[in-house]
Amino acid sequence: MNDEGSNVQEDFTKLSTEEKLKHKNWNARASAYDELVKVFSQGEPDDVEFKKFAGRVKDFVQDAHQAAQEKGVDAAWNFVDNVNPALAGKICPELVSGIVAKCILSNRAKTKEKAIEIVMLYFELEKHEATLEELIKGLTNKSPKIVSGCAGVIRNALRVFGSKYVSIKVVLKALPPLLSDRDKNVREEAKLLMTEIYRWIGELIKPHLAALNSVQLGELEVEFAKLKEKGEKAVPEKLVRSQVKAAQVADNADGQAGASGDAAPEEEAEEVKPEDLVDPVEVLKTLPENFSEQLQSKKWTDRKEALELLDTNSNHPKLMEGDYNETVSNLKKVIAKDSNVVVVALAGKCLTNLAKGVKQKFGPCASSAVPVIIEKFKEKKVNVVTVMREAIDACYLSLTLESITESVLEGLAHKTPSVKAETALFLTRCFCKCNPEDLPKKLLKVYVEALLKNIGDPDASVRDSSSEALGTALKVVGEKAMAPFIGTIDDDLKKAKITDYCKNAVITAPRRKAAPAAPAKTEAPPAKAADAKNVKKPVARPTAAKAPAKAAAEVKKPPSEPDDDDTPAITPETPSEQAPRRTVVKAGKAAPAAKGKAAVVEDSGPNIIVQPNAKKQRANDEKLLKTLKWSFQTPTKEFIQQLQDQMMGKDAPCFSSNLLAWFFSADFKNQIKAIQALQEDLNVKREPTIAVIDLILKWFSLRFFDSNPQVLAKGLEYLQLLFAKLSEDPVYQLTDGEVNCFVPYLLLKIGDPKDTVKVGIKNIVQQLCSLTAPTKIYAFLADGMKSKNAKQRSECIDLATWVMETYGMEACVPSPEVAIKLVSQQIGDRDANVRNAALNYLLFAFGLIGDKVLTFTKALDEKDRSMLMERLKRAPKKAAPEVVPQPKPHATVRPNPKASIAVRPTQQEDAPQAVDIPDSASDSGASTTSKGSKGTAEATVAPRAIKGEQQQQTISRPATVTIRRTAPTLIPISEADLNAALGEVPIPKRSQSMAAASSSGMTSVFAGLLSNSPGATLQALKKIDDLVSKSVVDPTVSRNLSELYRHLSEVLRKLYTSSMPNYATNFQHIAACYGHVLHILRVLFENPRHADQTNALILSDLIHNLISTILDRRMEAMTGGADIVQTANVITLRIVDNANRTQIVCASVCLLRQLLGSGQMTDKFLDLVIKCVWRCVRKMPDTVLQLQIDPVLLEIHLFLKQFPASHWPTAADDTPFRTVKTILYTLCRMYGSDVLNHLTLVEDPENSELLSFLKRVVKSVDRNGGPGGDRERQQNGETLATNGNAKKHADNLSNIINRLGSSDQEAVQQVRALATTNQ
């Protein structure tokens, strides 16, 4: 093979593109790049080829050979230009980083220019944040050429796309050190970049130059002066892709043929504000702990000092978002009640600072402050009134006229003239900031009618201010809208006065440009990406907005445009455009429109589009950290963008285009439309909603940070309906991810002052306790108790009391002691509601566990403890509602303390993965009819026949076992034939065994096991436990072991399907029943003679029910649940180790086949079954004399018949197939060619896949020297791992299987890797 510098020509045409990319010869790589240029330039944005090479694009630009690198950069440019922007964004950081490191230094001008074009292209695709981050990193590079090059790229990007896409704040932080760099080129480029920044922000740059020396400052001042003389206003030179699309839609709607160029004359550059250039300041942490106490001090100087500190710390253009509720509450008290005008004025100034600094997120606090400020307008001191004006104006920055209607109307109707006058003046200032759209007819009527009443007020200031407000409103909405109201004024002087104020009014609100109406059913033929970037060649694009009925149905396409579409993906500004585009592309493939005609698009599909496996993939991506974990104090752009991308989907959207547009609209009315659409779908069928429930819950979690009360009220109404639907049979169990992304943010709103909101949230929390483990909800409530918001703390404690009342002390996590200590700390809270809630909680806990409450709270100080004791003394004898007593912890569970936990699931591993199309897939437990129950008199209560019992269940079902075990329908073989084939161990005939059992009462005992009464089941288990716990197992038991095993398996199934959902009423029996069943199984399977008395069908059912118990997440909330899980682990291993070797191997393979045949399973459940199979494989060489091969081969034959080799290439995971082949490989190594003589039970073996596979393996084994051979061979130049050293192979297998007793996932991966070698 040639190395890099060889000139020998080779023929690379026979190599694939992937092979060429890896080739050492640069000519091969260059050839691959040329091929990819053609592929990328002609492909659709979502083609497989883009995804196939996405991970390698970063290597294209870093090719070691300059000639190849030049072609690689060209291929990378074509990739970014033509691929779906979402995929381009994923590789942005590493690609731009490679360009910075390898291309900016390139000696080839074409390479450097094309690489910079890629960077600029990322700005055009609005991936500016990640791109700028990599360029900023380049400014700290050791190479001056890279530093100056990156500075030049940033300067060009700012000039071309403007300050909206190049964060000046970020650049300013990194720029000053470059002005004093040793390299002249770096200093010069830094000066040019600083000058470009001045062109955009003007004098706002001055505070950031304070650290420069006089020489540097003088040089910059000269450049700044030149720009001042020109007086040019900075505007972007080029549109980004989303703006291009918007311009094209507008042009087509107006019937225009094109736009005027790449520049954006209609779009003015966004004004840069001082707060955009600084980092937010943390105010709350700077306040002393006794800040509230200082404000309540009797000395006005103490209050003044506290407020001066807050004034100093909050006087900043940008403040960090946080929980300001308590601080604002204190300020409101000072404004409303303090008698010292200096202190009141300071409080008003502090409120102004907070409102201006926090801005939009200050809405809830501002809304509550407005009525207090209006009331304070009655103050006669001018300095106080002036401060109040500034404060209410600052509060309005985060409010709307609609949200403060009630407070303003009260002010206009106030008995004090000064309050009415100042309120009218405030309304005037608000009107000046409004557009006509901000004053709809209903809202205008409310305000105008109130103002009209005041124009005849006896007080002149009230009359003048009201007239001014009416005149300003007239200026905003026009005469036509105001005519019905003005016409009611009889006095011409008053009309003239209003008209004069109208003429003099100055409206400061920028006029909003009307959104262009999109053609209703219009879509231009696909256009090439290169043309889509040029406004001169517009193509009609659909939007989610409703178009007028007269819209044109056809749009002519310029003849020069090719027929492939490559429009970019949606952006936060235009979220609705991607889905319709995809619809057009697909429709175009099915039935292409005639040339020159537009394709017809109509968004008439369902609101929710179910994408199979999409929800599971999203959960896996978050688990593997491929996406951001949904956890934040306040939502950032990254989280909103991620949610938007997930809703759009990787291949197809999850929602209709209209719904996507409404989701991310800034207009709250559109958000309400989205909720209404979801509600309509939910009322029809819940399954589509379940398929996207994680996205819906994340979207609602964002709404909890908004201040619009209508959206919140409508959202809570929908959520209550949603969780009510999920609670219907079959109950849908929420996954951990779905709970974690929603509940913490729901509880943020529980302190809302509106009762309707609090009641709605309480109802939702109570509903959630039936859809997930109550312990999880309690954990979130415990976090809420630590909030700074007193109302939130008190409500969380009240809800925690309800959880304890409903589910017992077991729900109080991490333990009752820790939970009680946490609540007891709230007894001394300043807020009376918090204190009362904490005392009520402890009072109820005292009713459940008695004096333990006093023991747990002995660390309380004397004052708090006396309050608690007083409340307990005054409480009636029954202090809390009556509940079922707490079960005795660890009463009957008898685990082996020395035994290791074999397959104990962790909390993360057990996070349920709900299916995406959940027509029959609630996260409930498995439901297979016990096969051993067939034909018995006692089996009339068969587990899968208790349908009515399951329909009455309202509490959660097992959340991690989603398997419906039904007999396979693909294999025409009767149960009797299979029993005979498996070689059932001879046991006494049923009539004889039951007769013997009857003589000693075993018939009644077995009937008790299958009783619907937990108490009767418990008594029967106790009796059997006593019989098997003797030194010698009672003969009446040993004669009926097969029947007993079947009944014990049935009891396990009933416990987790029937008893556990009703844990609150049955918990005194459940733990005891589990303990006795597991103890009986442990004793019996310790004795090889007893362990041998069963068959494969019973063992399969027993292992299935044991694993279901292990994975039952409700054990977390149950006293003794951890011991039950541990004991079930140990017993499962004991059964696999000690049962009849033939029967347990057959049972394991049979269970594996049934799981796959059901089509519904969790990965965790399947992994545990596979671990059992591999544990059997480990035992096979040591139990060769006990193993009957014929039944095992029959079971494997049935597996291969139902799931042949042709099934597995398209399967998500072929580990089961590899595992079964490993069993066959092990058998062949043990028996050699003799294994071919044991196909006696297989019908027509000559035509079976099993025989052909055995022949291949036997042949391989023979070449290695027969069974146990250790000869290695080489074939076609490759070492075959499956024919390696036998001892080494056996040692590796043994080491891996030894680890299968743990939950180590690495062991499972090694198993899969080893199985791969045995194909």
Side-chain angles (χ1 to χ4, degrees):
M1 185 176 291
N2 297 330
D3 42 42
E4 195 69 47
S6 176
N7 293 322
V8 179
Q9 295 295 323
E10 291 188 24
D11 183 12
F12 305 117
T13 57
K14 296 182 180 180
L15 298 178
S16 66
T17 304
E18 293 90 337
E19 291 173 328
K20 292 179 184 177
L21 289 175
K22 298 177 183 178
H23 208 285
K24 291 184 178 181
N25 191 304
W26 72 269
N27 289 294
R29 298 195 301 275
S31 174
Y33 298 145
D34 288 337
E35 293 175 7
L36 290 177
V37 168
K38 296 178 182 178
V39 171
F40 295 155
S41 61
Q42 298 173 4
E44 294 290 338
D46 294 312
D47 280 354
V48 177
E49 294 298 321
F50 286 109
K51 298 178 181 179
K52 182 177 178 181
F53 292 100
R56 297 184 179 179
V57 176
K58 65 180 184 298
D59 300 325
F60 296 177
V61 300
Q62 301 184 64
D63 199 294
H65 195 279
Q66 289 189 351
Q69 183 190 28
E70 183 175 313
K71 293 181 178 292
V73 170
D74 192 27
W77 183 90
N78 278 275
F79 178 93
V80 177
D81 187 45
N82 294 284
V83 73
N84 188 315
L87 182 56
K90 289 182 179 179
I91 66 168
C92 174
E94 55 189 17
L95 179 54
V96 176
S97 176
I99 289 173
V100 169
K102 298 294 183 181
C103 298
I104 289 182
L105 287 172
S106 177
N107 295 325
R108 293 195 169 218
K110 188 175 180 181
T111 299
K112 186 174 181 179
E113 291 172 3
K114 203 70 173 180
I116 293 176
E117 285 183 27
I118 295 176
V119 178
M120 299 295 283
L121 190 56
Y122 268 123
F123 281 100
E124 186 177 346
L125 294 174
E126 296 177 74
K127 308 301 178 184
H128 46 282
E129 293 179 352
T131 306
L132 183 60
E133 182 180 353
E134 295 302 325
L135 291 173
I136 293 296
K137 291 178 183 177
L139 296 180
T140 61
N141 197 284
K142 294 181 180 180
S143 170
K145 289 186 178 180
I146 291 180
V147 175
S148 60
C150 289
V153 174
I154 295 173
R155 175 169 56 84
N156 288 332
L158 179 59
R159 173 179 53 81
V160 173
F161 297 106
S163 58
K164 180 178 179 180
Y165 299 99
V166 180
S167 174
I168 292 178
K169 170 186 166 182
V170 174
V171 178
L172 278 176
K173 287 183 180 179
L175 201 52
L178 303 185
L179 291 168
S180 56
D181 194 90
R182 289 179 298 178
D183 188 88
K184 180 181 178 181
N185 294 330
V186 173
R187 294 196 304 273
E188 187 63 29
E189 195 60 60
K191 186 170 71 173
L192 292 174
L193 178 52
M194 193 70 83
T195 306
E196 181 65 27
I197 292 175
Y198 178 84
R199 194 168 73 89
W200 287 90
I201 66 175
E203 297 300 318
L204 292 178
I205 199 175
K206 294 296 179 68
H208 300 272
L209 305 179
L212 301 182
N213 58 47
S214 57
V215 176
Q216 295 170 338
L217 197 58
E219 292 177 353
L220 290 175
E221 288 290 355
V222 172
E223 299 298 327
F224 295 165
K226 293 179 182 177
L227 290 176
K228 278 185 181 180
E229 291 177 4
K230 292 182 180 179
E232 296 179 356
K233 187 175 182 179
V235 294
E237 296 180 3
K238 189 174 183 179
L239 301 175
V240 296
R241 290 277 178 96
S242 63
Q243 293 170 337
V244 171
K245 292 170 65 178
Q248 292 167 348
V249 172
D251 289 344
N252 287 316
D254 295 337
Q256 298 176 1
S260 58
D262 283 342
E266 296 181 1
E267 295 244 0
E268 294 185 2
E270 288 191 357
E271 180 184 355
V272 179
K273 301 175 183 178
E275 59 266 24
D276 297 335
L277 304 176
V278 296
D279 290 324
V281 172
E282 175 62 77
V283 175
L284 296 175
K285 291 183 179 179
T286 63
L287 298 180
E289 293 183 359
N290 62 340
F291 178 74
S292 298
E293 286 78 4
Q294 284 182 298
L295 291 182
Q296 297 172 9
S297 174
K298 294 181 179 180
K299 294 182 179 180
W300 74 273
T301 53
D302 292 344
R303 304 195 298 274
K304 176 174 172 287
E305 289 176 2
L307 290 170
E308 285 176 341
L309 175 64
L310 177 58
D311 179 31
T312 303
N313 295 337
S314 62
N315 190 14
H316 195 270
K318 191 172 187 179
L319 301 180
M320 190 172 291
E321 297 170 3
D323 186 0
Y324 291 91
N325 289 294
E326 187 173 356
T327 305
V328 172
S329 178
N330 290 327
L331 293 176
K332 289 190 299 182
K333 290 178 183 177
V334 173
I335 292 172
K337 299 179 180 180
D338 203 297
S339 58
N340 189 289
V341 292
V342 176
V343 174
V344 172
L346 265 175
K349 190 176 180 183
C350 292
L351 187 61
T352 304
N353 292 341
L354 294 178
K356 288 182 176 179
V358 182
K359 295 183 175 56
Q360 289 299 325
K361 296 298 181 180
F362 196 69
C365 297
S367 180
S368 65
V370 167
V372 177
I373 298 173
I374 289 177
E375 184 66 27
K376 200 62 181 178
F377 280 139
K378 64 186 178 184
E379 177 64 50
K380 296 180 180 179
K381 297 290 184 181
V382 178
N383 61 329
V384 173
V385 174
T386 303
V387 171
M388 292 302 113
R389 288 174 185 165
E390 295 175 356
I392 199 169
D393 288 347
C395 288
Y396 181 68
L397 296 174
S398 58
L399 299 172
T400 62
L401 281 173
E402 189 173 12
S403 63
I404 58 174
T405 303
E406 184 178 351
S407 300
V408 172
L409 292 180
E410 288 179 0
L412 292 175
H414 202 277
K415 61 182 180 180
T416 306
S418 61
V419 174
K420 289 193 284 188
E422 289 296 335
T423 304
L425 291 174
F426 165 63
L427 204 52
T428 302
R429 297 192 296 274
C430 293
F431 287 158
C432 289
K433 301 172 184 176
C434 290
N435 278 305
E437 297 84 3
D438 301 320
L439 281 173
K441 188 174 181 180
K442 290 183 179 179
L443 185 63
L444 181 66
K445 180 181 178 182
V446 171
Y447 281 124
V448 170
E449 287 179 350
L451 291 168
L452 286 174
K453 293 178 183 178
N454 287 348
I455 61 174
D457 194 271
D459 189 278
S461 63
V462 175
R463 296 195 301 271
D464 291 342
S465 59
S466 298
S467 298
E468 185 177 1
L470 288 169
T472 307
L474 177 61
K475 183 73 169 281
V476 173
V477 301
E479 294 184 5
K480 184 177 180 180
M482 287 286 287
F485 309 110
I486 302 296
T488 61
I489 303 175
D490 298 331
D491 193 333
D492 291 337
L493 291 176
K494 293 178 181 178
K495 287 184 180 179
K497 198 173 190 178
I498 293 173
T499 303
D500 290 340
Y501 278 122
C502 175
K503 293 178 180 178
N504 297 327
V506 178
I507 308 301
T508 60
R511 286 286 177 180
R512 296 175 186 166
K513 296 178 181 178
K521 296 182 180 180
T522 304
E523 175 69 19
K528 191 173 174 63
D531 294 332
K533 288 169 262 172
N534 192 339
V535 189
K536 294 180 180 179
K537 297 181 179 181
V539 181
R541 303 290 179 200
T543 66
K546 294 182 180 179
K550 296 181 180 179
E554 294 183 0
V555 177
K556 292 183 179 180
K557 182 187 74 172
S560 61
E561 292 183 5
D563 290 333
D564 50 337
D565 188 276
D566 196 337
T567 50
I570 62 168
T571 65
E573 289 78 8
T574 57
S576 62
E577 298 176 1
Q578 179 77 354
R581 182 188 68 78
R582 288 177 177 169
T583 305
V584 174
V585 172
K586 292 181 179 179
K589 291 179 180 178
K595 188 173 182 180
K597 301 272 187 169
V600 177
V601 176
E602 185 174 6
D603 190 8
S604 59
N607 286 324
I608 299 176
I609 306 167
V610 177
Q611 305 295 343
N613 298 322
K615 183 165 72 168
K616 185 175 181 179
Q617 184 60 49
R618 291 192 294 269
N620 289 338
D621 288 347
E622 184 168 326
K623 185 177 180 181
L624 299 173
L625 302 180
K626 293 182 179 179
T627 57
L628 295 174
K629 185 178 180 182
W630 198 259
S631 177
F632 44 75
Q633 294 294 327
T634 53
T636 60
K637 293 180 181 178
E638 291 79 10
F639 286 100
I640 298 173
Q641 183 63 53
Q642 175 176 294
L643 178 60
Q644 193 172 352
D645 293 341
Q646 289 177 333
M647 286 186 169
M648 288 304 306
K650 294 183 178 179
D651 301 315
C654 300
F655 298 93
S656 67
S657 58
N658 282 344
L659 199 52
L660 283 168
W662 294 336
F663 273 145
F664 296 97
S665 171
D667 189 347
F668 76 92
K669 295 178 181 178
N670 286 335
Q671 294 176 2
I672 291 177
K673 287 181 183 179
I675 298 173
Q676 290 171 340
L678 292 174
Q679 192 166 340
E680 291 171 3
D681 279 15
L682 184 60
N683 284 324
V684 175
K685 193 177 183 182
R686 72 173 190 169
E687 280 70 24
T689 300
I690 292 177
V692 293
I693 191 171
D694 56 327
L695 301 177
I696 291 175
L697 292 179
K698 287 179 179 179
W699 185 77
F700 274 107
S701 71
L702 297 178
R703 303 284 71 77
F704 295 138
F705 291 89
D706 294 341
S707 58
N708 190 282
Q710 296 182 40
V711 175
L712 181 60
K714 193 69 178 176
L716 293 177
E717 176 187 337
Y718 169 79
L719 289 169
Q720 292 178 75
L721 174 64
L722 171 64
F723 296 131
K725 291 285 186 181
L726 297 184
S727 299
E728 296 176 358
D729 191 56
V731 178
Y732 173 78
Q733 199 77 53
L734 291 171
T735 67
D736 286 350
E738 291 160 1
V739 173
N740 295 339
C741 76
F742 174 72
V743 177
Y745 311 105
L746 172 73
L747 295 179
L748 292 177
K749 279 291 184 181
I750 202 169
D752 194 281
K754 298 183 181 64
D755 289 337
T756 53
V757 174
K758 287 192 290 189
V759 171
I761 292 177
K762 286 182 178 180
N763 291 338
I764 291 172
V765 172
Q766 293 173 3
Q767 288 176 304
L768 286 170
C769 286
S770 65
L771 300 174
T772 187
T775 52
K776 294 188 179 298
I777 301 300
Y778 188 95
F780 289 120
L781 292 172
D783 290 338
M785 297 177 197
K786 304 171 186 176
S787 170
K788 294 183 179 180
N789 187 330
K791 291 182 179 179
Q792 184 179 352
R793 293 199 301 272
S794 64
E795 295 296 340
C796 284
I797 296 173
D798 285 341
L799 275 174
T801 306
W802 176 86
V803 173
M804 177 174 59
E805 174 186 357
T806 308
Y807 298 97
M809 291 302 299
E810 294 82 4
C812 303
V813 290
S815 68
E817 179 180 359
V818 174
I820 288 174
K821 285 182 178 179
L822 175 62
V823 176
S824 66
Q825 296 171 5
Q826 310 289 339
I827 296 177
D829 196 273
R830 294 192 302 269
D831 190 278
N833 293 328
V834 177
R835 294 196 300 270
N836 290 331
L839 290 170
N840 289 336
Y841 177 100
L842 297 173
L843 189 61
F844 195 93
F846 186 81
L848 290 178
I849 61 176
D851 291 340
K852 286 185 178 180
V853 172
L854 301 178
T855 303
F856 296 156
T857 58
K858 60 185 179 182
L860 288 174
D861 58 37
E862 184 177 351
K863 179 182 176 182
D864 293 346
R865 190 168 183 81
S866 63
M867 290 176 62
L868 175 60
M869 296 303 297
E870 183 65 25
R871 178 63 67 92
L872 294 178
K873 288 178 184 178
R874 289 191 288 106
K877 291 184 179 180
K878 290 188 178 180
E882 187 174 348
V883 295
V884 182
Q886 173 195 11
K888 297 179 180 180
H890 317 296
T892 55
V893 181
R894 308 186 216 176
N896 183 354
K898 296 182 180 179
S900 61
I901 300 176
V903 282
R904 172 80 182 274
T906 64
Q907 187 172 359
Q908 280 101 356
E909 288 171 339
D910 285 344
Q913 300 292 338
V915 291
D916 287 306
I917 309 179
D919 294 317
S920 58
S922 67
D923 285 343
S924 58
S927 56
T928 303
T929 305
S930 179
K931 296 171 184 167
S933 65
K934 184 176 180 181
T936 64
E938 295 78 17
T940 55
V941 210
R944 283 49 177 176
I946 313 177
K947 187 173 182 180
E949 189 176 309
Q950 291 181 355
Q951 289 175 344
Q952 296 173 0
Q953 299 168 1
T954 57
I955 311 237
S956 59
R957 305 179 178 187
T960 57
V961 186
T962 59
I963 305 157
R964 291 191 173 185
R965 300 178 63 231
T966 55
T969 57
L970 300 180
I971 306 300
I973 180 169
S974 68
E975 188 174 303
D977 293 340
L978 189 58
N979 266 329
L982 293 176
E984 184 174 352
V985 176
I987 57 176
K989 292 185 178 180
R990 187 182 180 284
S991 60
Q992 297 174 354
S993 64
M994 288 305 295
S998 178
S999 63
S1000 58
M1002 288 304 293
T1003 302
S1004 60
V1005 173
F1006 286 158
L1009 289 178
L1010 297 179
S1011 172
N1012 289 331
S1013 169
T1017 302
L1018 180 58
Q1019 293 303 318
L1021 287 170
K1022 286 181 179 178
K1023 186 170 183 178
I1024 296 174
D1025 202 349
D1026 292 338
L1027 293 174
V1028 301
S1029 298
K1030 298 177 181 179
S1031 57
V1032 177
V1033 175
D1034 191 284
T1036 57
V1037 175
S1038 58
R1039 286 197 297 267
N1040 296 276
L1041 282 176
S1042 181
E1043 199 78 4
L1044 176 59
Y1045 288 137
R1046 181 176 59 80
H1047 284 86
L1048 291 175
S1049 177
E1050 191 68 16
V1051 171
L1052 283 174
R1053 188 208 60 79
K1054 288 184 65 178
L1055 282 172
Y1056 73 78
T1057 58
S1058 301
S1059 299
M1060 285 295 284
N1062 299 309
Y1063 179 72
T1065 57
N1066 294 327
F1067 64 79
Q1068 68 269 37
H1069 302 297
I1070 292 176
C1073 287
Y1074 269 119
H1076 284 294
V1077 171
L1078 297 177
H1079 183 255
I1080 294 168
L1081 289 173
R1082 192 181 72 181
V1083 171
L1084 292 177
F1085 277 95
E1086 280 178 346
N1087 189 324
R1089 184 166 59 88
H1090 297 148
D1092 205 46
Q1093 300 299 307
T1094 184
N1095 60 39
L1097 299 178
I1098 294 176
L1099 286 172
S1100 173
D1101 206 47
L1102 186 58
I1103 292 174
H1104 172 268
N1105 290 325
L1106 283 168
I1107 294 179
S1108 298
T1109 301
I1110 292 169
L1111 297 182
D1112 191 346
R1113 285 172 46 225
R1114 294 166 300 186
M1115 289 291 179
E1116 298 172 10
M1118 176 177 166
T1119 301
D1123 289 333
I1124 291 173
V1125 171
Q1126 178 178 346
T1127 308
N1129 282 330
V1130 174
I1131 291 170
T1132 303
L1133 292 181
R1134 191 156 294 168
I1135 292 174
V1136 173
D1137 290 344
N1138 296 344
N1140 180 283
R1141 302 321 305 162
T1142 302
Q1143 305 302 327
I1144 191 60
V1145 173
C1146 292
S1148 302
V1149 177
C1150 176
L1151 180 58
L1152 183 61
R1153 173 168 56 88
Q1154 290 173 346
L1155 287 178
L1156 297 171
S1158 70
Q1160 302 173 29
M1161 73 196 81
T1162 62
D1163 293 339
K1164 184 65 179 176
F1165 200 103
L1166 185 62
D1167 279 345
L1168 295 187
V1169 174
I1170 290 176
K1171 286 182 179 181
C1172 291
V1173 177
W1174 276 87
R1175 200 170 182 91
C1176 293
V1177 173
R1178 177 193 176 192
K1179 292 279 185 180
M1180 287 170 62
D1182 300 329
T1183 57
V1184 63
L1185 299 178
Q1186 304 172 29
L1187 190 63
Q1188 300 177 30
I1189 310 178
D1190 300 60
V1192 174
L1193 291 177
L1194 172 62
E1195 193 57 55
I1196 294 177
H1197 163 70
L1198 297 177
F1199 180 95
L1200 294 175
K1201 189 173 182 180
Q1202 187 168 351
F1203 301 102
S1206 58
H1207 165 81
W1208 296 100
T1210 58
D1213 185 7
D1214 63 349
T1215 303
F1217 183 49
R1218 297 176 184 275
T1219 301
V1220 169
K1221 291 199 295 184
T1222 303
I1223 298 175
L1224 293 176
Y1225 181 78
T1226 305
L1227 290 173
C1228 291
R1229 292 192 65 85
M1230 290 168 56
Y1231 295 95
S1233 58
D1234 289 343
V1235 75
L1236 300 174
N1237 300 324
H1238 291 272
L1239 299 175
T1240 57
L1241 299 178
V1242 177
E1243 183 179 356
D1244 193 14
E1246 295 298 328
N1247 295 322
S1248 68
E1249 189 172 349
L1250 173 63
L1251 180 62
S1252 61
F1253 184 81
L1254 286 174
K1255 287 181 178 179
R1256 291 198 303 271
V1257 177
V1258 167
K1259 186 177 180 181
S1260 173
V1261 171
D1262 288 343
R1263 289 178 179 176
N1264 272 334
D1270 60 355
R1271 180 162 48 91
E1272 292 184 3
R1273 68 187 181 87
Q1274 295 221 344
Q1275 180 177 341
N1276 297 330
E1278 297 182 1
T1279 302
L1280 300 182
T1282 55
N1283 297 309
N1285 185 277
K1287 184 176 183 305
K1288 181 179 180 181
H1289 175 85
D1291 289 342
N1292 288 340
L1293 181 61
S1294 177
N1295 290 335
I1296 293 172
I1297 297 180
N1298 280 334
R1299 300 177 62 188
L1300 288 176
S1302 68
S1303 59
D1304 189 359
Q1305 292 303 310
E1306 184 180 353
V1308 177
Q1309 296 301 323
Q1310 291 187 24
V1311 167
R1312 292 174 177 172
L1314 183 60
T1316 305
T1317 66
N1318 296 333
Q1319 297 184 73

